[in-house]
Amino acid sequence: MRFELYVAARYLKAKRRQAVVGVVTGISVAGVTAGVAALIIALAITTGMQRDLQDKLLGFTAHIQLMQVEARGIRDWEPLVKRLSHLPHVVAASPGLFEPVLAARGARSGGAMIEGVLPDDERNVSDLLSTASPGAVNILEPQPASASTQSEELPPIILGSDLAQTIGAAAGDSVLVVSPQGEMTPLGEVPKYVRFRLAGTFHSGFYQYDDEMGFLRLADAQRLFDEPDLVSIISFKVDDPNRAPEIAHTIEQAAGPGYMTNNWMEQNRELFSALKEEQIVTFIIIALIVIVAALNILIALTMMVMEKTRDIAVMMSFGVSPDQVRRIFLFQGILISVVGTALGLVLGYIASWAGGHYHFIHLSAEVYSIDTLPFAPRAIHGVIVAAASIGISLLATLYPSSSAARVLPAEALRYE
């Protein structure tokens, strides 16, 4: 071990005449530990929020959506779906008919975005129906053309779990759906009222979907909205979601003039930009804890220089150079920082792992869109936090170490 490092370690371990120096040193280590642990946990939470939202968005929404620019919907959609589903990088395609409606049971009601789908195709594009009640999706399967429409009393509908709770409906109950695309009468357009049987609910954990979405058979939706052989969009799942804008351009060109596309990145650009900015701001704010701990290191080393002035003078009189004295106190600050940083990293990663594994922190889904606080610790965050912590602490050691190097042996030992 180098001489300077050996002396620095002995100074930290030795009992001091002034106990306050030891207390301040301990507070410095604790401060660095708390700051580093807080930074790791905060970065794990913001990264987890971003990852969880992105995973759910990619799982529960289509990567790309194709729609017509001016027309109300896409007619003769079946050959178009078959043709576009064979394009490179396209994994699956599904038609859908979207319309806003009012879902009600008795006196309780709630707004919903109802989508008419072909369940098999929709499950290839989105995982939303996979979270539905057991057997509910099978009831939603299209009926053969030869089957009698009178064989079932009411057509089936699947609603989000929060929406079903809002209107007080359970599986098997009758749900009234009111469509603004009504019928023309001598008194004007009258909303269309159709009753459905609640086949089941789905629960994605994503509040916007659970509180606002519902599914019908595509044929039932076309009858409800008086739009035979019409779909609003064609949804696509691709093999690389990160290349969605590029693949969307290819789909748009293959579809021909009059069509436009939208992708999951464009739809959620503001959300992910806000999360990234939140992560940066969180890092800056919580880094103030490390800065306060660095100030404690500065105070502790300054007090130690005052306490060890005679020892410094004796070492200099035996030939220790001012540069070696400076390095002794630099190593002291680095040791305090390294110990605190190491303890903080261990505590931070343990807390992040426990939070991500046990999900013991619950959130209000109405506010945060997710029901549990996600944690996603990353190794790169530990490297960044450790470098920042040690760097800030090193800056705090510059003044006391320089002061120690300027001690004059003759002046310090004059009255000894």
Side-chain angles (χ1 to χ4, degrees):
M1 185 181 295
R2 293 184 58 179
F3 166 72
E4 298 93 327
L5 183 59
Y6 173 78
V7 175
R10 287 294 301 270
Y11 275 176
L12 288 177
K13 292 186 295 184
K15 294 182 179 179
R16 299 180 178 85
R17 293 186 298 273
Q18 298 178 2
V20 68
V21 178
V23 172
V24 174
T25 302
I27 292 174
S28 302
V29 174
V32 174
T33 300
V36 170
L39 270 173
I40 292 296
I41 295 171
L43 291 175
I45 291 173
T46 54
T47 303
M49 291 280 287
Q50 183 173 351
R51 181 205 62 186
D52 204 52
L53 286 173
Q54 179 170 320
D55 289 346
K56 287 188 176 183
L57 286 170
L58 289 176
F60 298 144
T61 61
H63 298 162
I64 299 171
Q65 293 179 333
L66 177 73
M67 62 206 78
Q68 284 203 322
V69 179
E70 297 180 357
R72 188 172 174 183
I74 304 173
R75 299 191 184 277
D76 300 324
W77 51 270
E78 292 182 86
L80 182 62
V81 171
K82 290 180 181 179
R83 179 163 59 88
L84 296 180
S85 62
H86 291 92
L87 290 175
H89 306 293
V90 174
V91 176
S94 173
L97 179 59
F98 281 98
E99 288 288 348
V101 300
L102 183 71
R105 175 170 171 76
R108 301 169 67 176
S109 63
M113 181 64 72
I114 295 295
E115 181 181 7
V117 296
L118 300 175
D120 288 339
D121 293 346
E122 183 67 20
R123 280 185 290 187
N124 291 331
V125 171
S126 166
D127 297 332
L128 205 54
L129 282 176
S130 302
T131 65
S133 308
V137 180
N138 294 332
I139 300 175
L140 211 63
E141 293 291 344
Q143 294 296 305
S146 59
S148 171
T149 57
Q150 298 178 352
S151 60
E152 67 179 13
E153 210 172 290
L154 296 173
I157 186 173
I158 297 177
L159 297 177
S161 56
D162 291 336
L163 177 59
Q165 185 177 3
T166 298
I167 65 175
D173 289 342
S174 171
V175 175
L176 180 66
V177 175
V178 183
S179 170
Q181 304 297 329
E183 301 174 346
M184 290 301 299
T185 69
L187 300 177
E189 190 173 14
V190 177
K192 192 171 184 178
Y193 299 83
V194 179
R195 288 198 173 274
F196 290 85
R197 179 174 58 86
L198 186 61
T201 61
F202 66 85
H203 179 74
S204 63
F206 208 111
Y207 182 73
Q208 278 75 5
Y209 295 123
D210 296 339
D211 189 59
E212 299 174 2
M213 285 287 295
F215 292 97
L216 301 174
R217 295 171 180 156
L218 180 58
D220 292 336
Q222 289 171 337
R223 282 193 293 270
L224 173 64
F225 305 131
D226 290 325
E227 298 289 0
D229 195 32
L230 179 81
V231 296
S232 306
I233 61 168
I234 299 175
S235 302
F236 297 91
K237 182 179 182 179
V238 298
D239 56 1
D240 186 359
N242 294 321
R243 295 181 58 197
E246 175 188 338
I247 302 171
H249 182 66
T250 303
I251 293 173
E252 190 174 321
Q253 288 184 325
Y259 288 94
M260 63 177 292
T261 56
N262 195 3
N263 61 77
W264 71 274
M265 290 184 178
E266 294 175 352
Q267 292 173 339
N268 303 283
R269 181 181 289 110
E270 293 81 5
L271 173 63
F272 289 113
S273 176
L275 288 173
K276 192 67 177 178
E277 292 176 1
E278 179 185 0
Q279 189 176 47
I280 295 173
V281 172
T282 300
F283 182 89
I284 293 173
I285 292 175
I286 300 184
L288 293 175
I289 300 176
V290 179
I291 295 174
V292 172
L295 292 177
N296 288 332
I297 293 176
L298 187 150
I299 295 171
L301 292 182
T302 302
M303 296 176 67
M304 193 175 297
V305 169
M306 297 172 62
E307 180 188 6
K308 299 294 183 180
T309 299
R310 186 179 63 178
D311 293 0
I312 295 170
V314 171
M315 286 191 294
M316 284 185 169
S317 66
F318 278 103
V320 176
S321 68
D323 286 341
Q324 287 179 304
V325 173
R326 181 182 294 108
R327 285 195 291 269
I328 287 173
F329 289 93
L330 282 174
F331 281 136
Q332 278 190 287
I334 291 173
L335 286 173
I336 293 172
S337 175
V338 168
V339 172
T341 300
L343 291 174
L345 290 175
V346 171
L347 290 177
Y349 278 109
I350 289 177
S352 299
W353 175 84
H357 185 73
Y358 294 106
H359 302 288
F360 49 77
I361 301 179
H362 297 277
L363 301 175
S364 173
E366 295 87 346
V367 178
Y368 299 99
S369 298
I370 50 179
D371 46 16
T372 59
L373 188 64
F375 291 80
R378 291 183 177 177
I380 187 63
H381 290 161
V383 174
I384 295 172
V385 170
S389 173
I390 295 174
I392 293 172
S393 301
L394 184 60
L395 291 176
T397 63
L398 294 180
Y399 172 74
S401 62
S402 298
S403 298
R406 290 195 298 268
V407 170
L408 299 176
E411 292 293 331
L413 299 174
R414 174 177 294 181
Y415 301 106
E416 294 296 331

